[in-house]
């Protein structure tokens, strides 16, 4: 018996050591990508939110932690759309995919890894609105701290863009702290697609005088001027075009019906009847839609989120107790609450990335493994059956991914058949 106990302890120690190696390899990629000056601001959120959760983390079953970090140096792919993997882990930090109107997001991956560590500590804990906003603060860590300095407040505002310094090679991007003390009204940045500048030039203004800065001549500066509370309380909307990459035939009748069934105080779907240019480059056109999010106070937003989380856990309990249910039934519920989180827009920004972190939390807690999403935006506009299929496809991608990073774990991972859900 003593030998068996000793052997069991050694096995647990081996698994724990192995997990820490995978985690270290994953974090090393994040650190290599994150601009040096942003490392410190992300670390402040890590100390504030993640470190106090260490006691919780030590109580997480090792098998869950093994699955969570099994991708090792490829863990970054959980934070990046599958359609953009070809550009590598720095794709969003440096806007290597050319999307988002050309806006860079320095510190994106570093902040997402702070979110990963936060979720790791919360594995096994019931998801609550408070937890959601804690994870959100981590996933947006690179934004919180920049704006905290700019606003002179502590963790109660969120940026829409960033204060960054860009060199000619784009090999280094960091926060330009000296500009934080400037009056935002006297220092504005215009994106080249808005101001009509060349691909290598931006227009900026200091003290009312316009200048053009070339990448190869001098650094240029982007500065944020928008402050927002973390909990989204103002009205907002997402443009849904008649067709797009992930759904060439547009939003299906089933998707429209699902959104119509939501409480109108959460979101509604409005058809576009005229052409309206978009400030972010995405125009509203006839035949398309707007997914509108209602104006609510912070307490109502959190209460609404709690209501849907309670329903999710009720569904999971009922399904688990039903001997006729299958693994796919549980995954359907997990995909459902993921869509609810996205469609509610609980925060002013960063909702998709936060919801994705919780998607994989819920999958692991149900005995599955994470999902690598090819097109996370689909959660907003795809009907549930199609989004559920996207989640299962992502799980298959993750499972195949551990063949190279954790081959010893692979035999333990049950294969989930991808459901046939035609468009």
């Amino acid at each position: 018996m003593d030998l068996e106990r000793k052997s069991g302890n050694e096995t647990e120690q081996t698994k724990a050591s192995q997990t820490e190696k995978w985690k270290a390899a994953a974090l090393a990629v994040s650190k290599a990508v994150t601009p040096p000056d942003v490392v410190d601001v992300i670390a402040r959120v890590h100390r504030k939110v993640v470190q106090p959760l260490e006691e919780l983390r030590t109580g997480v079953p090792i098998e869950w932690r093994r699955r969570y970090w099994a991708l090792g140096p490829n863990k970054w792919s959980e934070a990046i759309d599958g359609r953009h993997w070809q550009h590598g882990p720095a794709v969003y930090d440096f806007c290597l995919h050319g999307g988002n109107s050309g806006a860079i997001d320095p510190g994106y991956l570093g902040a997402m890894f702070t979110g990963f560590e936060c979720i790791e500590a919360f594995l096994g804990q019931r998801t609550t609105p408070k937890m959601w906003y804690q994870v959100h603060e981590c996933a947006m860590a690179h934004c919180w701290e920049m704006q905290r300095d700019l606003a002179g407040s502590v963790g109660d505002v969120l940026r829409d863009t960033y204060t960054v310094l860009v060199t000619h090679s784009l090999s280094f991007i960091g926060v330009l702290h000296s500009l934080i003390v400037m009056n935002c009204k006297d220092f504005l940045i215009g994106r080249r697609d808005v101001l009509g500048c060349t691909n290598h030039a931006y227009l900026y203004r200091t003290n009312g005088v316009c200048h053009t800065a070339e990448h190869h001549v001098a650094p240029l500066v982007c500065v944020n001027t928008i402050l927002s509370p973390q909990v989204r309380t103002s009205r907002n909307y997402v443009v849904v075009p008649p067709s797009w990459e992930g759904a060439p035939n547009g939003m299906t009748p089933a998707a429209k019906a699902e959104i119509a069934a939501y409480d109108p105080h959460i979101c509604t779907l409005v058809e576009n009847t005229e052409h309206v240019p978009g400030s972010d480059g995405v125009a509203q056109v006839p035949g398309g839609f707007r997914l509108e999010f209602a104006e609510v106070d912070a307490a109502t937003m959190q209460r609404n989120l709690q209501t849907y989380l309670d329903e999710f856990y009720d569904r999971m309990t009922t399904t688990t107790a039903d001997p006729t249910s299958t693994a796919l039934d549980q995954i359907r519920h997990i995909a459902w609450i993921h869509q609810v989180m996205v469609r509610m827009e609980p925060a002013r920004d960063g909702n998709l990335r936060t919801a994705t972190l919780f998607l994989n939390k819920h999958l692991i807690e149900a005995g599955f493994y994470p999902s690598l999403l090819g097109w996370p935006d689909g959660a907003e506009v795809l009907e549930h059956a199609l989004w559920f299929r996207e989640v299962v496809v992502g799980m298959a991608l993750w499972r195949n991914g551990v063949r190279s990073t954790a081959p010893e774990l692979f035999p333990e991972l049950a294969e989930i058949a991808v459901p046939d859900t035609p468009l």
Side-chain angles (χ1 to χ4, degrees):
M1 182 64 70
D2 288 340
L3 289 176
E4 290 179 1
R5 185 180 299 111
K6 181 178 180 181
S7 176
N9 290 337
E10 289 177 346
T11 300
E12 289 298 301
Q13 291 174 1
T14 299
K15 289 181 177 179
S17 175
Q18 183 184 62
T19 300
E20 291 303 321
K21 289 181 180 179
W22 292 337
K23 181 177 179 179
L27 292 173
V29 174
S30 169
K31 292 176 181 177
V33 167
T34 305
D37 281 4
V38 187
V39 170
D40 290 338
V41 296
I42 293 175
R44 289 202 291 269
V45 173
H46 189 282
R47 288 193 296 270
K48 173 191 172 185
V49 181
V50 179
Q51 288 186 8
L53 301 176
E54 178 59 23
E55 186 174 345
L56 281 180
R57 190 186 71 83
T58 57
V60 175
I62 187 60
E63 295 302 333
W64 286 0
R65 294 187 59 235
R66 289 180 79 211
R67 293 189 181 193
Y68 196 62
W69 294 105
L71 282 181
N74 295 326
K75 177 73 172 177
W76 62 268
S77 58
E78 291 181 30
I80 306 294
D81 297 13
R83 54 185 173 158
H84 299 144
W85 289 342
Q86 60 184 313
H87 301 292
V91 56
Y92 296 152
D93 281 65
F94 298 98
C95 195
L96 302 179
H97 62 313
N100 198 27
S101 299
I104 56 177
D105 197 353
Y108 168 85
L109 193 66
M112 281 298 288
F113 268 79
T114 304
F116 284 146
E117 291 190 84
C118 190
I119 286 289
E120 177 192 22
F122 281 135
L123 287 173
Q125 304 294 315
R126 187 182 178 100
T127 300
T128 64
K130 179 182 179 181
M131 181 190 297
W132 196 98
Y133 286 106
Q134 284 178 284
V135 174
H136 175 264
E137 182 171 1
C138 290
M140 301 296 286
H142 59 314
C143 308
W144 280 102
E145 294 294 337
M146 287 183 236
Q147 205 48 284
R148 178 184 299 183
D149 292 342
L150 185 62
S153 56
V154 181
D156 62 351
V157 292
L158 183 64
R159 71 90 184 107
D160 280 320
T161 51
Y162 333 86
T163 304
V164 294
L165 171 66
V166 185
T167 66
H168 67 284
S169 64
L170 290 180
S171 61
F172 167 77
I173 300 180
V175 182
L176 191 61
H177 294 288
S178 61
L179 284 176
I180 289 177
V181 298
M182 295 182 64
N183 185 331
C184 289
K185 294 181 180 179
D186 291 333
F187 197 94
L188 305 176
I189 176 67
R191 294 196 307 267
R192 61 176 179 268
D193 59 312
V194 176
L195 297 173
C197 299
T198 68
N199 288 334
H200 300 289
Y202 282 67
L203 191 66
Y204 65 93
R205 184 179 71 188
T206 55
N207 299 323
V209 180
C210 290
H211 308 273
T212 299
E214 295 290 340
H215 286 186
H216 64 276
V217 174
L220 59 100
V221 176
C222 309
V223 67
N224 171 40
T225 59
I226 301 175
L227 306 182
S228 306
Q230 181 186 22
V231 181
R232 181 191 62 77
T233 55
S234 61
R235 193 175 188 85
N236 199 6
Y237 67 87
V238 169
V239 175
V240 183
S243 65
W244 61 94
E245 180 181 352
N249 298 322
M251 184 175 285
T252 65
K256 297 173 189 175
E258 287 171 7
I259 294 174
Y262 282 111
D263 186 325
H265 292 295
I266 295 176
C267 69
T268 55
L269 195 66
V270 179
E271 185 172 2
N272 297 327
T273 57
E274 57 183 358
H275 188 281
V276 180
S279 59
D280 58 356
V282 182
Q284 300 177 43
V285 297
F289 296 86
R290 294 190 313 278
L291 188 59
E292 294 193 344
F293 309 102
E295 179 178 350
V296 295
D297 59 74
T300 300
M301 174 62 78
Q302 295 178 69
R303 188 165 55 249
N304 288 340
L305 180 55
Q306 182 67 66
T307 297
Y308 279 104
L309 284 169
D310 288 344
E311 182 176 346
F312 162 65
Y313 282 109
D314 287 345
R315 290 186 181 195
M316 291 294 285
T317 299
T318 300
T319 299
T320 302
D322 183 356
T324 65
S325 67
T326 66
L328 290 179
D329 293 323
Q330 295 185 59
I331 298 172
R332 283 191 183 91
H333 300 325
I334 294 170
W336 171 80
I337 192 60
H338 175 75
Q339 284 192 287
V340 169
M341 287 180 171
V342 171
R343 288 172 173 172
M344 286 183 68
E345 284 229 331
R348 176 64 181 83
D349 196 6
N351 292 285
L352 273 171
R353 66 191 74 177
T354 305
T356 300
L357 289 168
F358 277 101
L359 168 69
N360 289 334
K361 172 185 183 288
H362 295 147
L363 284 171
I364 286 180
E365 289 172 338
F368 304 113
Y369 35 86
S371 177
L372 301 178
L373 301 177
W375 186 52
D377 305 78
E380 285 184 313
V381 295
L382 291 178
E383 64 183 83
H384 178 64
L386 295 179
W387 181 245
F388 157 62
R389 187 177 188 278
E390 288 293 312
V391 171
V392 178
V393 168
M395 293 173 66
L397 289 173
W398 185 94
R399 183 175 180 272
N400 289 335
V402 300
R403 287 180 183 270
S404 60
T405 60
E408 63 274 36
L409 180 62
F410 184 80
E412 304 174 14
L413 305 173
E415 184 173 5
I416 305 298
V418 177
D420 183 16
T421 309
L423 287 172

